Amino acid sequence: MTTALRTPPQTAAASAAGLRATARIVARADEAGGITRLPVLDGDGPFALRRIRGPGGQARVCVVGAMSAPLGGDRLAIEATAEAGAALHLTSAAATVALPGRTADHATYDVRLTVGDGARLDWLPEPLISAAGSVLRMTTTVELAPTAHLVLREEQVLGRSGEETGALRSRLIVRRAGRTLLDQETAYGPGAPGWDTSAVLDGHRALGQLLVVQPESDQSPAEVRLLGDAAGERSGDGAGHGVLAPLAGPAALATAVAPDALRLRRLLDEAARSAAAG
């Protein structure tokens, strides 16, 4: 999100402790028209939601930052539901920058995604940047029906150019038909031991993952594939390292680290092409 002057809209709850805001999106299939409609598109606080054109009958929404967020003490959330048979693509206009606030309390940013039977949801936002002095806890929770499709990308950049990182704790929980498909938590920056050692990031400042869930691949799981430098594709300035691996169930997870956001995106795009071809 862009960092504009903070002047909260009246619909958001603001206090000295921080801002409380939730954006809600519901996508519903229109069987008669063969398209997906958006009966609920409710932006709040820093979340300005914009419809954008997309291919076929898919509904596409872009999240535009209306103010600086998240700051210390903020409690922010995005809730998106693709009902049965719907196709929803969510992105953002710019990176989200976590910044220090007027309070020492941490900020929270919760993303809650629900995908119904036969529906598809693409969650492809721009990176989250953890600025120096910020403290953020981010949780992404996904509930999938048995025949739901999901493409989810998360990218995190530790510090802006030339600065130290803030404290970032991130958790991703994915359930399919009520059973846990993935539950992982990571922590970086002040207070997280060993995060910058050779066993973890080894000096890299951009990290991310791509999760693809395709019910039709249940009988043919993805093959393990190394990405970037891990595959011996050295480019002189370091392409970063990554791996694409199958999960239990019809899913594949790519995890990557890189020197910067641009090279991280290249690794995850490569993983997306491999998962689609697999």
Coordinates of all heavy atoms in Angstrom, one line a residue, residues 195-273:
W195 N 17.6 -15.7 13.1 CA 16.9 -15.5 11.8 C 17.9 -15.1 10.7 O 17.6 -15.4 9.5 CB 15.8 -14.5 11.9 CG 16.3 -13.1 12.2 CD1 16.7 -12.5 13.4 CD2 16.6 -12.1 11.2 NE1 17.1 -11.3 13.3 CE2 17.1 -10.9 11.9 CE3 16.5 -12.0 9.8 CZ2 17.5 -9.7 11.3 CZ3 16.9 -10.8 9.2 CH2 17.4 -9.7 9.9
D196 N 19.0 -14.4 11.0 CA 19.9 -13.9 10.0 C 21.1 -14.8 9.8 O 22.1 -14.4 9.2 CB 20.3 -12.5 10.3 CG 20.8 -11.8 9.0 OD1 20.4 -12.2 7.9 OD2 21.5 -10.8 9.2
T197 N 21.1 -16.0 10.4 CA 22.3 -16.9 10.3 C 22.3 -17.6 8.9 O 21.3 -17.6 8.2 CB 22.3 -17.9 11.4 OG1 21.1 -18.8 11.3 CG2 22.2 -17.2 12.8
S198 N 23.3 -18.4 8.7 CA 23.4 -19.1 7.4 C 22.4 -20.3 7.4 O 22.1 -20.8 6.3 CB 24.9 -19.7 7.3 OG 25.2 -20.5 8.4
A199 N 21.9 -20.6 8.6 CA 20.9 -21.7 8.6 C 19.5 -21.2 8.2 O 18.6 -22.0 8.0 CB 20.9 -22.3 10.0
V200 N 19.3 -19.9 8.2 CA 18.0 -19.4 7.9 C 18.0 -18.5 6.7 O 17.8 -19.0 5.5 CB 17.4 -18.6 9.1 CG1 15.9 -18.2 8.9 CG2 17.5 -19.5 10.4
L201 N 18.3 -17.2 6.8 CA 18.3 -16.3 5.6 C 19.6 -16.1 5.0 O 19.7 -15.7 3.8 CB 17.6 -15.0 6.0 CG 16.1 -15.0 6.3 CD1 15.6 -13.6 6.5 CD2 15.3 -15.7 5.2
D202 N 20.7 -16.3 5.8 CA 22.1 -16.1 5.3 C 22.3 -14.8 4.5 O 22.8 -14.7 3.5 CB 22.4 -17.3 4.3 CG 23.9 -17.4 4.0 OD1 24.7 -16.9 4.8 OD2 24.2 -18.0 3.0
G203 N 21.7 -13.7 5.1 CA 21.9 -12.4 4.6 C 20.9 -11.9 3.6 O 20.9 -10.8 3.2
H204 N 20.0 -12.8 3.1 CA 19.0 -12.4 2.2 C 18.0 -11.5 2.9 O 17.7 -11.7 4.1 CB 18.3 -13.6 1.6 CG 19.2 -14.4 0.7 ND1 19.9 -15.5 1.1 CD2 19.5 -14.2 -0.7 CE1 20.6 -16.0 0.0 NE2 20.4 -15.2 -1.0
R205 N 17.3 -10.7 2.2 CA 16.3 -9.8 2.8 C 14.9 -9.9 2.2 O 14.0 -9.1 2.6 CB 16.8 -8.3 2.7 CG 18.0 -8.0 3.7 CD 17.4 -8.1 5.1 NE 18.4 -7.8 6.1 CZ 19.2 -8.7 6.7 NH1 19.1 -10.0 6.3 NH2 20.1 -8.4 7.6
A206 N 14.8 -10.8 1.2 CA 13.4 -11.0 0.6 C 13.1 -12.4 0.7 O 13.9 -13.3 0.4 CB 13.4 -10.5 -0.8
L207 N 11.9 -12.8 1.2 CA 11.5 -14.2 1.3 C 10.1 -14.3 1.0 O 9.3 -13.4 1.1 CB 11.8 -14.6 2.7 CG 11.1 -13.8 3.8 CD1 10.4 -14.7 4.8 CD2 12.2 -12.9 4.5
G208 N 9.7 -15.5 0.5 CA 8.3 -15.7 0.1 C 7.9 -17.1 -0.2 O 8.8 -18.0 -0.2
Q209 N 6.7 -17.3 -0.5 CA 6.2 -18.6 -0.8 C 5.0 -18.5 -1.7 O 4.3 -17.5 -1.8 CB 5.8 -19.4 0.5 CG 4.8 -18.7 1.4 CD 4.8 -19.3 2.8 OE1 5.4 -20.3 3.0 NE2 4.1 -18.6 3.7
L210 N 4.8 -19.6 -2.5 CA 3.7 -19.7 -3.4 C 3.0 -21.0 -3.1 O 3.7 -22.1 -3.2 CB 4.2 -19.6 -4.9 CG 3.1 -19.9 -5.9 CD1 2.4 -18.5 -6.2 CD2 3.7 -20.4 -7.2
L211 N 1.8 -21.0 -2.8 CA 1.0 -22.2 -2.6 C 0.0 -22.4 -3.7 O -0.8 -21.5 -4.0 CB 0.3 -22.2 -1.2 CG -0.6 -23.3 -0.9 CD1 0.2 -24.6 -0.8 CD2 -1.4 -23.0 0.4
V212 N 0.0 -23.6 -4.3 CA -1.0 -23.9 -5.4 C -1.8 -25.1 -5.0 O -1.2 -26.2 -4.7 CB -0.3 -24.1 -6.7 CG1 -1.3 -24.5 -7.8 CG2 0.5 -22.8 -7.1
V213 N -3.1 -25.0 -4.9 CA -3.9 -26.2 -4.6 C -4.8 -26.4 -5.8 O -5.6 -25.6 -6.2 CB -4.8 -25.9 -3.3 CG1 -5.7 -27.1 -3.0 CG2 -3.9 -25.6 -2.1
Q214 N -4.7 -27.6 -6.4 CA -5.4 -28.0 -7.6 C -6.0 -29.4 -7.4 O -5.2 -30.4 -7.4 CB -4.5 -28.0 -8.8 CG -3.8 -26.7 -9.1 CD -2.9 -26.8 -10.3 OE1 -3.2 -26.2 -11.3 NE2 -1.8 -27.5 -10.2
P215 N -7.3 -29.5 -7.1 CA -7.9 -30.9 -6.8 C -7.6 -31.9 -7.9 O -7.4 -33.1 -7.6 CB -9.4 -30.6 -6.7 CG -9.4 -29.1 -6.3 CD -8.3 -28.5 -7.0
E216 N -7.4 -31.5 -9.2 CA -7.2 -32.4 -10.2 C -5.8 -33.1 -10.2 O -5.6 -34.1 -10.8 CB -7.4 -31.8 -11.6 CG -6.5 -30.6 -11.9 CD -7.0 -29.3 -11.5 OE1 -7.9 -29.3 -10.6 OE2 -6.5 -28.3 -11.9
S217 N -4.9 -32.5 -9.4 CA -3.6 -33.0 -9.3 C -3.4 -34.0 -8.1 O -2.3 -34.4 -7.7 CB -2.5 -31.9 -9.1 OG -2.7 -31.2 -7.9
D218 N -4.6 -34.4 -7.5 CA -4.6 -35.3 -6.4 C -3.9 -36.6 -6.7 O -3.2 -37.2 -5.8 CB -6.0 -35.6 -5.9 CG -6.1 -35.8 -4.4 OD1 -5.1 -35.9 -3.8 OD2 -7.2 -35.8 -3.9
Q219 N -4.0 -37.1 -7.9 CA -3.4 -38.4 -8.3 C -2.0 -38.2 -8.9 O -1.3 -39.2 -9.2 CB -4.3 -39.1 -9.3 CG -5.7 -39.3 -8.8 CD -5.8 -40.1 -7.5 OE1 -5.0 -41.1 -7.3 NE2 -6.6 -39.7 -6.5
S220 N -1.6 -37.0 -9.1 CA -0.3 -36.8 -9.7 C 0.4 -35.6 -9.0 O 0.4 -34.5 -9.5 CB -0.4 -36.5 -11.2 OG -1.2 -35.4 -11.5
P221 N 1.0 -35.8 -7.8 CA 1.6 -34.7 -7.1 C 2.8 -34.1 -7.8 O 3.4 -34.8 -8.6 CB 2.0 -35.4 -5.8 CG 2.1 -36.9 -6.1 CD 1.1 -37.1 -7.2
A222 N 3.0 -32.9 -7.5 CA 4.2 -32.2 -8.1 C 5.5 -32.8 -7.7 O 5.6 -33.4 -6.6 CB 4.1 -30.7 -7.7
E223 N 6.4 -32.7 -8.6 CA 7.8 -33.2 -8.4 C 8.6 -32.1 -7.7 O 8.4 -30.9 -7.9 CB 8.5 -33.7 -9.7 CG 7.8 -34.8 -10.4 CD 8.5 -35.3 -11.6 OE1 9.5 -34.6 -12.0 OE2 8.1 -36.2 -12.2
V224 N 9.6 -32.6 -6.9 CA 10.4 -31.6 -6.2 C 11.3 -31.0 -7.2 O 11.9 -31.6 -8.1 CB 11.3 -32.3 -5.1 CG1 12.3 -31.3 -4.5 CG2 10.4 -32.9 -4.0
R225 N 11.4 -29.6 -7.2 CA 12.3 -28.9 -8.1 C 13.0 -27.8 -7.4 O 12.4 -27.0 -6.7 CB 11.4 -28.3 -9.3 CG 12.3 -27.5 -10.2 CD 11.5 -27.0 -11.4 NE 12.4 -26.1 -12.2 CZ 12.0 -25.5 -13.4 NH1 10.7 -25.7 -13.8 NH2 12.8 -24.8 -14.1
L226 N 14.3 -27.7 -7.6 CA 15.1 -26.6 -7.0 C 15.0 -25.4 -7.9 O 15.0 -25.5 -9.2 CB 16.6 -27.1 -6.8 CG 16.8 -28.3 -5.9 CD1 18.3 -28.6 -5.8 CD2 16.2 -28.0 -4.5
L227 N 15.1 -24.2 -7.3 CA 15.0 -23.0 -8.1 C 16.2 -22.1 -7.9 O 16.8 -22.1 -6.8 CB 13.7 -22.2 -7.6 CG 12.4 -23.0 -7.7 CD1 11.3 -22.2 -6.9 CD2 12.0 -23.3 -9.1
G228 N 16.5 -21.3 -8.9 CA 17.6 -20.3 -8.7 C 18.9 -20.9 -8.5 O 19.3 -21.9 -9.1
D229 N 19.7 -20.3 -7.6 CA 21.0 -20.8 -7.2 C 21.0 -22.2 -6.7 O 22.0 -22.9 -6.9 CB 21.7 -19.8 -6.2 CG 22.1 -18.5 -6.8 OD1 22.1 -18.4 -8.0 OD2 22.3 -17.5 -6.0
A230 N 19.9 -22.6 -6.1 CA 19.9 -23.9 -5.5 C 19.9 -25.0 -6.7 O 20.3 -26.1 -6.4 CB 18.6 -24.1 -4.7
A231 N 19.5 -24.5 -7.9 CA 19.5 -25.4 -9.0 C 20.7 -25.3 -9.9 O 20.8 -25.8 -11.0 CB 18.3 -25.2 -9.9
G232 N 21.7 -24.5 -9.4 CA 22.9 -24.2 -10.1 C 22.8 -23.2 -11.1 O 23.7 -23.0 -12.0
E233 N 21.8 -22.4 -11.1 CA 21.6 -21.3 -12.1 C 22.1 -20.0 -11.6 O 21.4 -19.0 -11.4 CB 20.1 -21.2 -12.4 CG 19.5 -22.4 -12.9 CD 17.9 -22.4 -13.0 OE1 17.4 -21.3 -12.7 OE2 17.3 -23.4 -13.4
R234 N 23.4 -19.9 -11.3 CA 24.1 -18.8 -10.8 C 24.1 -17.7 -11.8 O 24.5 -17.9 -13.0 CB 25.4 -19.1 -10.3 CG 25.4 -20.1 -9.1 CD 26.7 -20.3 -8.4 NE 26.6 -21.2 -7.3 CZ 26.2 -20.9 -6.1 NH1 25.9 -19.6 -5.9 NH2 26.1 -21.8 -5.1
S235 N 23.9 -16.4 -11.4 CA 23.9 -15.3 -12.4 C 24.9 -14.2 -12.0 O 24.8 -13.1 -12.6 CB 22.5 -14.7 -12.4 OG 22.1 -14.2 -11.1
G236 N 25.8 -14.5 -11.2 CA 26.8 -13.6 -10.8 C 26.4 -12.7 -9.6 O 27.2 -12.5 -8.7
D237 N 25.2 -12.1 -9.6 CA 24.8 -11.3 -8.5 C 23.9 -12.0 -7.6 O 23.4 -11.5 -6.6 CB 24.1 -10.0 -9.0 CG 22.9 -10.4 -9.9 OD1 22.7 -11.5 -10.2 OD2 22.2 -9.4 -10.3
G238 N 23.7 -13.3 -7.8 CA 22.9 -14.1 -6.9 C 21.4 -14.1 -7.2 O 20.8 -13.1 -7.0
A239 N 20.9 -15.2 -7.7 CA 19.5 -15.2 -8.1 C 18.6 -15.5 -6.9 O 17.4 -15.3 -6.9 CB 19.2 -16.3 -9.1
G240 N 19.2 -16.0 -5.8 CA 18.4 -16.5 -4.6 C 18.2 -18.0 -4.7 O 18.6 -18.6 -5.7
H241 N 17.6 -18.5 -3.7 CA 17.4 -20.0 -3.6 C 15.9 -20.3 -3.4 O 15.2 -19.6 -2.7 CB 18.2 -20.5 -2.4 CG 19.6 -20.2 -2.4 ND1 20.6 -21.1 -2.9 CD2 20.3 -19.1 -2.0 CE1 21.8 -20.5 -2.8 NE2 21.7 -19.3 -2.3
G242 N 15.5 -21.4 -3.9 CA 14.1 -21.8 -3.7 C 13.9 -23.3 -4.0 O 14.8 -24.0 -4.6
V243 N 12.8 -23.8 -3.6 CA 12.4 -25.2 -3.8 C 10.9 -25.3 -4.0 O 10.2 -24.6 -3.2 CB 12.9 -26.1 -2.7 CG1 12.3 -25.7 -1.3 CG2 12.6 -27.6 -3.0
L244 N 10.5 -26.1 -4.9 CA 9.1 -26.4 -5.1 C 8.9 -27.8 -4.7 O 9.5 -28.7 -5.2 CB 8.7 -26.2 -6.6 CG 7.2 -26.6 -7.0 CD1 6.2 -25.7 -6.3 CD2 7.1 -26.5 -8.5
A245 N 7.9 -28.1 -3.8 CA 7.7 -29.4 -3.3 C 6.3 -29.7 -3.1 O 5.5 -28.8 -2.8 CB 8.5 -29.6 -2.0
P246 N 5.9 -31.0 -3.2 CA 4.5 -31.4 -3.0 C 4.1 -31.4 -1.5 O 5.0 -31.6 -0.7 CB 4.4 -32.8 -3.6 CG 5.8 -33.3 -3.5 CD 6.7 -32.2 -3.6
L247 N 2.8 -31.1 -1.2 CA 2.3 -31.3 0.1 C 1.4 -32.5 0.1 O 1.0 -32.9 -1.0 CB 1.5 -30.0 0.5 CG 2.3 -28.7 0.7 CD1 1.3 -27.6 1.1 CD2 3.4 -28.8 1.7
A248 N 1.1 -32.9 1.3 CA 0.1 -34.0 1.4 C -1.2 -33.5 0.9 O -1.8 -32.5 1.5 CB 0.0 -34.5 2.8
G249 N -1.8 -34.1 -0.1 CA -3.0 -33.6 -0.7 C -2.7 -33.0 -2.1 O -1.5 -32.9 -2.5
P250 N -3.6 -32.4 -2.8 CA -3.4 -31.9 -4.2 C -2.8 -30.5 -4.1 O -3.4 -29.5 -4.6 CB -4.8 -31.9 -4.7 CG -5.7 -31.5 -3.6 CD -5.0 -32.2 -2.4
A251 N -1.6 -30.3 -3.6 CA -1.0 -29.0 -3.4 C 0.5 -29.1 -3.6 O 1.1 -30.1 -3.4 CB -1.4 -28.5 -2.0
A252 N 1.0 -27.9 -4.0 CA 2.5 -27.7 -4.1 C 2.9 -26.4 -3.4 O 2.1 -25.4 -3.6 CB 2.9 -27.8 -5.5
L253 N 4.0 -26.4 -2.7 CA 4.4 -25.2 -2.0 C 5.8 -24.9 -2.5 O 6.8 -25.7 -2.4 CB 4.4 -25.4 -0.5 CG 5.0 -24.3 0.3 CD1 4.0 -23.1 0.3 CD2 5.2 -24.7 1.8
A254 N 6.0 -23.6 -2.9 CA 7.4 -23.1 -3.3 C 7.8 -22.1 -2.2 O 7.0 -21.3 -1.8 CB 7.3 -22.4 -4.6
T255 N 9.0 -22.3 -1.7 CA 9.6 -21.4 -0.7 C 10.9 -20.9 -1.3 O 11.7 -21.6 -1.8 CB 9.8 -22.1 0.6 OG1 8.6 -22.8 1.1 CG2 10.3 -21.2 1.7
A256 N 11.1 -19.5 -1.1 CA 12.3 -18.9 -1.7 C 12.8 -17.8 -0.9 O 12.1 -17.1 -0.1 CB 12.0 -18.4 -3.1
V257 N 14.1 -17.6 -1.0 CA 14.8 -16.4 -0.4 C 15.6 -15.7 -1.5 O 16.2 -16.4 -2.3 CB 15.6 -16.7 0.8 CG1 14.8 -17.3 2.0 CG2 16.7 -17.7 0.5
A258 N 15.8 -14.4 -1.4 CA 16.5 -13.7 -2.5 C 17.1 -12.4 -1.9 O 16.6 -11.9 -0.8 CB 15.6 -13.4 -3.7
P259 N 18.0 -11.8 -2.6 CA 18.6 -10.5 -2.1 C 17.6 -9.4 -2.1 O 17.7 -8.5 -1.3 CB 19.7 -10.2 -3.1 CG 20.1 -11.6 -3.7 CD 18.8 -12.3 -3.8
D260 N 16.6 -9.4 -3.0 CA 15.6 -8.3 -3.1 C 14.3 -8.8 -3.7 O 14.2 -10.0 -4.1 CB 16.2 -7.2 -4.0 CG 16.6 -7.7 -5.4 OD1 15.8 -8.4 -6.0 OD2 17.8 -7.4 -5.8
A261 N 13.3 -7.9 -3.7 CA 12.0 -8.3 -4.1 C 11.9 -8.7 -5.5 O 11.1 -9.6 -5.9 CB 11.0 -7.2 -3.8
L262 N 12.6 -8.1 -6.4 CA 12.6 -8.4 -7.8 C 13.0 -9.8 -8.1 O 12.4 -10.6 -8.8 CB 13.4 -7.4 -8.6 CG 13.5 -7.6 -10.1 CD1 12.1 -7.6 -10.8 CD2 14.5 -6.6 -10.8
R263 N 14.2 -10.2 -7.5 CA 14.7 -11.5 -7.7 C 13.8 -12.6 -7.0 O 13.7 -13.7 -7.5 CB 16.1 -11.6 -7.3 CG 17.1 -11.0 -8.4 CD 18.5 -11.0 -8.0 NE 18.7 -9.8 -7.1 CZ 20.0 -9.4 -6.8 NH1 21.0 -10.0 -7.3 NH2 20.1 -8.3 -6.0
L264 N 13.2 -12.2 -5.9 CA 12.3 -13.1 -5.3 C 11.1 -13.4 -6.2 O 10.6 -14.6 -6.3 CB 11.8 -12.5 -4.0 CG 10.7 -13.3 -3.2 CD1 11.2 -14.7 -2.7 CD2 10.1 -12.5 -2.0
R265 N 10.5 -12.4 -6.8 CA 9.4 -12.5 -7.7 C 9.7 -13.4 -8.9 O 8.9 -14.3 -9.3 CB 8.9 -11.2 -8.2 CG 7.7 -11.2 -9.2 CD 6.4 -11.7 -8.5 NE 6.0 -10.9 -7.4 CZ 5.2 -9.8 -7.5 NH1 4.8 -9.4 -8.8 NH2 4.8 -9.1 -6.5
R266 N 10.9 -13.3 -9.4 CA 11.3 -14.2 -10.5 C 11.3 -15.6 -10.1 O 10.8 -16.5 -10.8 CB 12.7 -13.8 -11.0 CG 12.8 -12.5 -11.7 CD 14.2 -12.1 -12.0 NE 14.3 -10.8 -12.7 CZ 15.4 -10.1 -12.8 NH1 16.5 -10.5 -12.3 NH2 15.4 -8.9 -13.5
L267 N 11.8 -15.9 -8.9 CA 11.8 -17.3 -8.4 C 10.4 -17.9 -8.2 O 10.1 -19.0 -8.6 CB 12.5 -17.4 -7.1 CG 14.1 -17.2 -7.1 CD1 14.6 -17.2 -5.7 CD2 14.7 -18.3 -7.9
L268 N 9.5 -17.0 -7.7 CA 8.1 -17.5 -7.4 C 7.3 -17.6 -8.7 O 6.5 -18.5 -8.9 CB 7.4 -16.6 -6.4 CG 8.0 -16.6 -5.0 CD1 7.2 -15.6 -4.1 CD2 8.1 -18.0 -4.4
D269 N 7.6 -16.7 -9.7 CA 7.0 -16.9 -11.0 C 7.4 -18.1 -11.7 O 6.7 -18.8 -12.4 CB 7.4 -15.7 -11.9 CG 6.6 -14.4 -11.5 OD1 5.6 -14.5 -10.8 OD2 7.0 -13.3 -12.0
E270 N 8.7 -18.5 -11.5 CA 9.2 -19.8 -12.1 C 8.5 -20.9 -11.4 O 8.1 -21.9 -12.1 CB 10.7 -19.9 -11.9 CG 11.4 -21.1 -12.4 CD 12.8 -21.3 -12.0 OE1 13.4 -20.3 -11.5 OE2 13.4 -22.4 -12.2
A271 N 8.3 -20.9 -10.1 CA 7.6 -21.9 -9.4 C 6.2 -22.0 -9.9 O 5.6 -23.1 -10.1 CB 7.6 -21.7 -7.9
A272 N 5.5 -20.9 -10.2 CA 4.1 -20.9 -10.6 C 4.0 -21.6 -12.0 O 3.1 -22.3 -12.2 CB 3.6 -19.5 -10.7
R273 N 5.0 -21.3 -12.9 CA 5.0 -21.9 -14.2 C 5.2 -23.4 -14.1 O 4.5 -24.2 -14.8 CB 6.0 -21.3 -15.1 CG 5.7 -19.9 -15.5 CD 6.7 -19.4 -16.6 NE 8.1 -19.3 -16.1 CZ 8.6 -18.2 -15.6 NH1 7.9 -17.1 -15.4 NH2 9.9 -18.2 -15.2

